Amino acid sequence: MKTDSIFYRLFKTFPRIFFELIGQPNIDINTYQFVSVEIKQTAFRIDGVFIPVPNTNAETVYFTEVQFQPDTTFYRRLFSEIFLYLRQNETVNLWRAVVVYPTRRIETADTIPYQSLLSTPQVQRIYLDELGEAANNTFGLRIVQLIIEREETAVTSARELN
């Protein structure tokens, strides 16, 4: 997906954007490294994982998925990937999943098997078109907003970022 690679590059180059997006701007970004993780012996690939850097006090692993296309089995795949990762990485105790959608319309209705997870802070769903005023608070979030901006106005909006 084109948007996956855009977000991967954004999060890799400017990790602060991810933490601003999830409402945690005070996390020390130097305590994390951002990687794409392939789960062994399967075709699963997690879009991105913020893994605590060794010898820091960061503990939470953040799984990030960017979902810009409808996918009726999205949560089935996402939680399979996460739990397989946890099985293969027994030292991970604290984790959060962050799913970035352009809009609620993209989200699948197949949520019943995962309702207990989806209703907790452990899984955060972000809808870029609903960021509202928060999207104007930081340079990073304004860049993210460009991804869902209409083509006719995106160039003008990008020029106004200075």
Side-chain angles (χ1 to χ4, degrees):
M1 293 289 141
K2 189 166 44 169
T3 52
D4 288 358
S5 61
I6 291 170
F7 274 92
Y8 179 83
R9 284 190 301 238
L10 272 175
F11 292 160
K12 184 77 173 170
T13 307
F14 306 105
R16 169 124 357 259
I17 291 174
F18 171 77
F19 292 103
E20 290 172 353
L21 194 59
I22 66 169
Q24 303 267 334
N26 296 325
I27 287 182
D28 180 0
I29 61 170
N30 296 316
T31 62
Y32 284 92
Q33 62 179 330
F34 182 66
V35 296
S36 179
V37 176
E38 187 168 338
I39 305 297
K40 297 176 189 172
Q41 300 175 350
T42 70
F44 291 145
R45 180 172 287 276
I46 299 169
D47 284 351
V49 183
F50 281 90
I51 301 171
V53 173
N55 302 320
T56 66
N57 51 351
E59 297 176 344
T60 303
V61 171
Y62 291 91
F63 299 98
T64 65
E65 285 289 329
V66 176
Q67 192 62 32
F68 273 53
Q69 303 295 323
D71 179 353
T72 57
T73 62
F74 173 72
Y75 288 118
R76 294 177 186 275
R77 179 178 50 80
L78 173 66
F79 291 116
S80 295
E81 291 169 352
I82 289 171
F83 289 118
L84 186 56
Y85 180 91
L86 294 174
R87 180 173 180 248
Q88 292 179 357
N89 294 273
E90 294 179 10
T91 60
V92 175
N93 292 315
L94 302 173
W95 64 272
R96 282 186 61 195
V98 177
V99 182
V100 179
Y101 291 105
T103 178
R104 284 183 191 270
R105 291 177 304 200
I106 299 299
E107 188 170 12
T108 180
D110 182 29
T111 60
I112 293 172
Y114 310 101
Q115 200 56 52
S116 62
L117 283 167
L118 293 171
S119 63
T120 70
Q122 195 157 18
V123 178
Q124 184 175 2
R125 295 174 281 183
I126 297 170
Y127 308 98
L128 295 180
D129 67 336
E130 295 180 15
L131 287 178
E133 199 55 39
N136 295 322
N137 290 343
T138 68
F139 182 75
L141 292 183
R142 291 193 322 251
I143 289 173
V144 168
Q145 282 299 109
L146 287 175
I147 295 168
I148 63 166
E149 182 92 20
R150 290 189 347 255
E151 197 172 326
E152 308 83 56
T153 58
V155 173
T156 303
S157 295
R159 286 184 182 129
E160 293 172 356
L161 286 177
N162 303 4

